[in-house]
Amino acid sequence: MPVPTEELKLEIVNAATGKTLGAQAPPGEDGALVVRHFPDDGPSPQQWRLVPVPGGEEPDHPAYVIRDAVGGTVLHDPGAADRGVHQGEAADGDPSRQWFVVPVEGEAGLYFIESATDSTVLDLGTDLGTDLDLGPGGPGGPGADGADGTRVVLREHDDSAESQRWRLVPAEPERISDPVLRWAPLSHWNGRRSWRLVHSPAVRPAPGATPSFSDMLLVLEQFGSDERAGAWQAGEATPGPGGQPAWWAGPGARFLADTTGDGQADIVGIEPVKGAVTSPSRGDGTFDDEESVLHPPVPSSGPEDLWALVDTTGDGKPDVVVLAADGVRVSPRGEDGTFAPSGGEPVLKAFGHGEQGGGWQAEKHPRFLADLTGDGRLDVVGCHDDGVWVSLQDEDGTFAPLTDEPALRAFGHAEKAGGWRVGTHPRFLADTTGDGRLDLVGCHDDGVWVSLQDEGGAFADPLYVLDEFGVDQGWTSAGEHPRFLLKTTAGGTSDLVGFGPQGVVVARGRGDGRFEPAKLVLNDFGTAQGWTSEKHLRFLADVTGDGNVDIIGFGDEGVWVSHSLGDGRFEQARLVCRGFGYGRDAGSWRVGRHPRFLADITGDGRLDLVGFGGPGVYVARNLFRRFRTR
């Protein structure tokens, strides 16, 4: 786990004993600290905050004051002969009250807590030996060192000592919502029925929640998974890797896209027989009742075709892009508002799933539509077995044929190109330097790698820039731990944001292709708080229109939003819509069957909630700046 920000309350737990750092019971006059058990029916474990020391000499290795979250006392090395650690009053600039939090190499979520004065580390005051006795009479139990708990002391660093390893466990997230009452039936001996009010496991959106959404309404009885609504059963459309500007959708998928260029998102579905079909937005939160064919199937269409609807030329008009068997097919939108059938030859005989298109497979080879050079036109980039291949689009809309060699022999599926896996190692295209050109960024087992693009369009050899966001740090899969590369502050460069094991993690971009040390900025939306890829969806999007991305999670009770503070941090999550959630009271929505999106369906500049349920399409309008949901 990355080092948390000072806003988070933490329990500091010894890895060897599983016991928590805190005062003795009862507390001693000298403020000595121990590790001990905190029973469920007893006082809560002591919580701490890590406060960075301002003006540190090493920005990559900052010192911290470890402050009690309630009383304000700090972790302190009084320099006693027994090297016991105490809690005492804060004193600015005192190195005996400053600590380094050093990750244990190769052991995700474990740290050494090192004194800033002499490089000794926190340890336990008893000789644990090789076999730990975790019973009441063992280390840390009543009677150890003559007190309730084992004393915490400073010792020379020993890389093999389990007792010197510590976990930082964030407190439970402080979610904001209201309880809900519901009617429950009562049974009587004479067969009569009556009802009474009882507490519901659901929650109501909090008054004043920002942003607020309307109630969830069924607006179209089509595009649903029920038989009467079309029996759409395929999985969701998925965004391009790293949140790129294209949605790749296979047959059976449904998604939202602006099919006309009027600023309103329309419903689009991919049918194997008809091709792409649509129900245009009416601009009032509803859609046309009758679907129409947007684009017929491409020649030799098949289940492996991937569709996208995106402006590839920068003219403000959407184009239909299909990764077909024989390559890339593009159909621009004509003056009459229709898309010409993509007959004849593809615009690029590459990046296709057939042998004639290069044998690209969705489960192995991510493909991007992105403006590599900053000229306003989307180019095609793909990571094949042997590395990265690029086709640039010129002013005439022509895509350059692939060269004989990949643009970069890295970020590929084969071991010689790094052994990158789609389900484990997300890859991104983003400008990390501010020069207008996109660079390649990837999260591998060991952390983050970056390949910068120079003025000539060539990619440099990848550099290892951050030991976070990788499998070795607990990020087990791309689905369980979504990661994004985007700006979290106005005017800044791209930052890495991810939903990690303990919550939301941010590594701010430095503007030179590197990133600052990762910070745990919100103890929510992570697996530790119960969020899983099998039940929940998590997105980053600007739902308030202030230019900063917010966190949106489709959880058990409904939709939660954590508003951006504009500096890479986020507010506590608020429930903003009691719908679109996994729980029964929130609609029993299921990942893989019920796609859900954030899209502006009215053209008012606010993102609305849209979901494809069983009976059809549901909408919850974004009411921010108009009035608030109660």
Side-chain angles (χ1 to χ4, degrees):
M1 183 182 75
V3 175
T5 59
E6 60 187 287
E7 288 81 10
L8 269 64
K9 300 176 182 178
L10 307 165
E11 296 173 18
I12 301 178
V13 180
N14 184 258
T17 63
K19 300 177 182 180
T20 306
L21 177 70
Q24 293 175 323
E29 294 183 2
D30 61 353
L33 292 173
V34 298
V35 292
R36 65 187 183 95
H37 280 305
F38 287 83
D40 293 339
D41 57 352
S44 299
Q46 194 161 348
Q47 295 180 347
W48 307 84
R49 284 191 171 102
L50 300 184
V51 183
V53 176
E57 296 180 0
E58 299 182 65
D60 287 343
H61 190 44
Y64 294 89
V65 172
I66 302 178
R67 187 185 303 276
D68 176 71
V70 177
T73 57
V74 300
L75 206 66
H76 171 44
D77 170 20
D82 63 359
R83 298 310 311 271
V85 177
H86 297 236
Q87 57 182 338
E89 296 300 320
D92 293 340
D94 183 355
S96 70
R97 289 166 168 80
Q98 298 177 9
W99 307 86
F100 296 113
V101 180
V102 183
V104 179
E105 187 174 353
E107 299 185 48
L110 294 182
Y111 296 88
F112 299 110
I113 300 178
E114 177 184 307
S115 171
T117 58
D118 58 7
S119 299
T120 54
V121 298
L122 291 194
D123 201 347
L124 301 186
T126 53
D127 185 3
L128 296 180
T130 56
D131 297 318
L132 294 176
D133 179 7
L134 303 183
D145 286 349
D148 180 11
T150 300
R151 291 184 305 114
V152 177
V153 301
L154 286 167
R155 284 186 175 154
E156 294 297 324
H157 170 252
D158 181 356
D159 197 57
S160 63
E162 189 74 14
S163 58
Q164 295 183 1
R165 290 161 162 76
W166 301 83
R167 297 186 187 278
L168 306 178
V169 181
E172 289 297 315
E174 299 175 9
R175 295 178 177 172
I176 301 173
S177 59
D178 285 350
V180 170
L181 296 176
R182 63 182 175 86
W183 292 100
L186 285 173
S187 298
H188 299 274
W189 63 271
N190 59 3
R192 292 185 304 162
R193 298 193 70 185
S194 60
W195 304 81
R196 65 186 178 93
L197 281 173
V198 297
H199 286 284
S200 168
V203 285
R204 175 181 288 114
T210 304
S212 297
F213 290 84
S214 70
D215 292 334
M216 186 179 70
L217 299 174
L218 179 65
V219 299
L220 181 63
E221 295 182 2
Q222 295 186 61
F223 295 97
S225 56
D226 293 350
E227 191 70 29
R228 294 179 59 183
W232 293 74
Q233 298 295 336
E236 303 180 45
T238 56
Q244 300 301 316
W247 291 83
W248 294 122
R254 293 146 287 170
F255 57 100
L256 277 295
D258 182 1
T259 65
T260 63
D262 63 358
Q264 301 172 5
D266 311 302
I267 294 172
V268 179
I270 309 300
E271 291 190 3
V273 176
K274 296 181 180 180
V277 298
T278 183
S279 285
S281 170
R282 291 172 172 164
D284 59 357
T286 65
F287 301 89
D288 284 355
D289 294 332
E290 298 297 327
E291 70 176 39
S292 58
V293 175
L294 187 71
H295 190 285
V298 299
S300 303
S301 62
E304 296 182 44
D305 293 347
L306 294 176
W307 294 65
L309 198 71
V310 63
D311 178 10
T312 64
T313 61
D315 63 358
K317 299 178 181 178
D319 307 302
V320 172
V321 182
V322 183
L323 301 179
D326 53 359
V328 181
R329 293 181 173 270
V330 178
S331 297
R333 186 173 186 269
E335 294 297 332
D336 59 355
T338 62
F339 295 87
S342 57
E345 297 293 319
V347 298
L348 181 61
K349 294 182 178 180
F351 300 105
H353 55 81
E355 183 178 352
Q356 66 274 41
W360 293 72
Q361 302 175 42
E363 65 272 15
K364 292 183 178 181
H365 309 131
R367 283 153 285 179
F368 305 79
L369 289 173
D371 180 9
L372 274 185
T373 61
D375 63 359
R377 294 179 171 275
L378 299 187
D379 311 299
V380 186
V381 183
C383 301
H384 207 280
D385 290 336
D386 51 358
V388 181
W389 294 82
V390 174
S391 173
L392 300 179
Q393 184 185 182
D394 62 22
E395 295 181 358
D396 298 326
T398 302
F399 290 88
L402 298 190
T403 57
D404 294 335
E405 296 289 331
L408 180 65
R409 291 193 178 276
F411 296 100
H413 182 81
E415 293 303 319
K416 289 185 177 180
W420 293 74
R421 300 293 183 261
V422 167
T424 309
H425 306 133
R427 281 153 281 182
F428 312 89
L429 284 168
D431 181 7
T432 65
T433 62
D435 63 358
R437 292 182 173 272
L438 301 187
D439 310 303
L440 276 161
V441 182
C443 302
H444 208 281
D445 290 342
D446 52 357
V448 180
W449 292 79
V450 174
S451 174
L452 299 179
Q453 185 187 179
D454 63 23
E455 293 181 357
F459 288 97
D461 290 337
L463 295 175
Y464 182 67
V465 297
L466 189 64
D467 57 348
E468 189 52 66
F469 297 100
V471 175
D472 294 345
Q473 295 87 32
W475 301 70
T476 54
S477 71
E480 199 64 57
H481 302 295
R483 278 148 279 182
F484 302 84
L485 186 58
L486 38 67
K487 294 181 179 181
T488 64
T489 59
T493 56
S494 297
D495 308 315
L496 271 165
V497 184
F499 298 94
Q502 296 293 332
V504 181
V505 177
V506 174
R508 298 283 299 276
R510 289 178 166 168
D512 58 0
R514 298 179 299 162
F515 298 88
E516 294 180 2
K519 296 285 187 181
L520 179 66
V521 299
L522 184 66
N523 59 330
D524 207 345
F525 299 103
T527 51
Q529 295 85 31
W531 292 77
T532 70
S533 59
E534 295 179 353
K535 295 182 178 180
H536 309 126
L537 301 174
R538 288 157 288 178
F539 299 106
L540 291 175
D542 178 11
V543 293
T544 62
D546 64 356
N548 297 314
V549 293
D550 309 298
I551 299 170
I552 304 95
F554 293 80
D556 291 335
E557 305 91 346
V559 183
W560 296 85
V561 168
S562 178
H563 181 54
S564 170
L565 295 173
D567 58 359
R569 298 175 301 151
F570 298 88
E571 294 177 349
Q572 294 295 329
R574 290 177 178 263
L575 185 72
V576 297
C577 180
R578 191 181 147 207
F580 301 106
Y582 184 85
R584 184 182 64 180
D585 290 301
S588 299
W589 292 71
R590 296 295 181 260
V591 172
R593 189 177 183 186
H594 304 135
R596 283 151 284 176
F597 302 91
L598 287 127
D600 181 5
I601 61 175
T602 63
D604 62 1
R606 295 188 290 266
L607 297 181
D608 308 296
L609 299 169
V610 183
F612 297 87
V617 182
Y618 290 83
V619 168
R621 290 284 306 280
N622 189 331
L623 306 176
F624 184 53
R625 296 200 188 98
R626 293 177 59 188
F627 56 88
R628 290 171 172 166
T629 303
R630 294 190 61 82

